Amino acid sequence: MPSLVVRNLNAALINALKPRAVTHHRSTEAEHRAIIAEALLSPTRKSFAETLAAIPNISKDNDFERIKTIQLDRYCSIFDRCFIIYVADLIQGWVKR
């Protein structure tokens, strides 16, 4: 089986590895192998855009109508209204993809 030699490790890394190995009931060498395997072989996480795209389309578009600016006048400042409209436009763009 191939081997790997790692030189010039910071002492803080080695000191952090030892208690982690004890916690998992492994030798430091086995813990090192487990960390490398976890980092390189575990599946990558989905991006936020991929997660949003995976949400099923189960409703009608009119369920998510934009809040009318007239209603916002009573509750929000001009900045708040602009921000809410901007976020609504972003969401609509994501949903259409």
Side-chain angles (χ1 to χ4, degrees):
M1 178 178 269
S3 63
L4 174 68
V5 176
V6 181
R7 293 188 175 94
N8 301 324
L9 285 177
N10 185 327
L13 289 174
I14 295 170
N15 292 336
L17 181 65
K18 290 177 183 179
R20 182 175 167 153
V22 170
T23 302
H24 295 123
H25 307 288
R26 301 178 184 148
S27 67
T28 52
E29 186 177 341
E31 186 67 20
H32 187 204
R33 283 193 300 268
I35 291 170
I36 292 173
E38 181 182 334
L40 298 177
L41 301 178
S42 63
T44 57
R45 294 176 59 189
K46 287 184 184 179
S47 69
F48 182 67
E50 290 171 326
T51 303
L52 282 179
I55 297 173
N57 185 9
I58 58 171
S59 65
K60 298 178 183 173
D61 288 340
N62 60 0
D63 290 341
F64 302 101
E65 288 182 22
R66 181 187 294 190
I67 300 172
K68 295 190 179 0
T69 307
I70 298 167
Q71 294 172 337
L72 293 176
D73 287 339
R74 289 183 275 178
Y75 307 107
C76 303
S77 69
I78 291 172
F79 172 79
D80 292 334
R81 279 184 270 141
C82 292
F83 181 74
I84 291 170
I85 291 169
Y86 173 75
V87 170
D89 287 341
L90 282 176
I91 292 170
Q92 285 179 346
W94 288 334
V95 171
K96 288 180 183 177
R97 285 185 188 178

